[in-house]
Amino acid sequence: MPSEPARSTNTQSHSKLRSLRHHPMLRWIDAKFVHRPRIYLVQSILAGVVLVGILIAEDALTNGAVVAAVASSVATVFFLPHSVASKPFRLIGGHVSAIAAALCTVGIMMLLPDAVAGNQLVIHALQGTSLALVILFMTVTNTEHAPAAGTALGLATSVPINSVIFILSAAVIISIVRIALYRHLHNLI
């Protein structure tokens, strides 16, 4: 007898969730979120805490594109922790590929006369070249990690050592966090 009221309450709860999910104003809410909001909230908060921790620990004095690339890596790991793109080898390798691509474009820039290198069209061409190179390097080395494209873009015309240290140490920290929390994280997509 005690199981009957529990089953009835559980059924009522599910029907409320279904009706809530199909409400015209709430159709854009992911069905998985409606059923397991705690996982989404916890992983979102953890991602924010990890990024804040990285920025504080490293006293990030680097350009915005590089910080955005690292933030994108954190988001990828917490959105899809069980995906191929979140594996430490790809995360770290993707950013290493991006640094290598940026070093190539900076090398090209150093060969150009100052009047040409300062031209905005040339800078945009170097940024496009950096993106093309990072895609090539990542696919050849099997280290595909899309957020690393932001690293290549941010470093396309200048590769300061503090940015390189920031990127590599952040990638290692993100990888360590993923390894430590792997069993507790869920794919959110």
Side-chain angles (χ1 to χ4, degrees), residues 9 18-19 27 35-36 45 47 59 67 75-76 82 85 91 103-104 108 124 127 132 138 140 148 156 159-160 169 173:
T9 306
R18 279 191 205 109
S19 66
R27 283 194 178 156
H35 295 290
R36 297 170 43 166
I45 291 168
D59 196 23
V67 173
T76 299
H82 300 280
L91 196 151
L103 286 170
C104 291
I108 293 168
H124 292 321
Q127 290 170 330
M138 286 191 296
V140 167
V159 185
S169 58
I173 291 168

Side-chain angles (χ1 to χ4, degrees), residues 41-129:
L41 295 172
V42 168
Q43 281 185 218
S44 299
I45 291 168
L46 277 173
V49 168
V50 168
L51 182 62
V52 168
I54 288 169
L55 295 174
I56 290 172
E58 300 201 31
D59 196 23
L61 297 173
T62 188
N63 73 40
V66 171
V67 173
V70 168
S72 296
S73 291
V74 172
T76 299
V77 166
F78 281 91
F79 272 133
L80 295 165
H82 300 280
S83 78
V84 174
S86 294
K87 289 185 176 181
F89 177 76
R90 290 182 187 243
L91 196 151
I92 296 167
H95 286 289
V96 169
S97 295
I99 292 166
L103 286 170
C104 291
T105 56
V106 168
I108 293 168
M109 189 172 159
M110 292 174 71
L111 296 173
L112 299 173
D114 289 342
V116 174
N119 184 320
Q120 199 66 23
L121 184 60
V122 172
I123 291 172
H124 292 321
L126 288 170
Q127 290 170 330
T129 302

Side-chain angles (χ1 to χ4, degrees), residues 148-164:
T151 298
L153 183 65
L155 299 178
T157 57
S158 172
V159 185
I161 191 69
N162 65 327
S163 292
V164 171

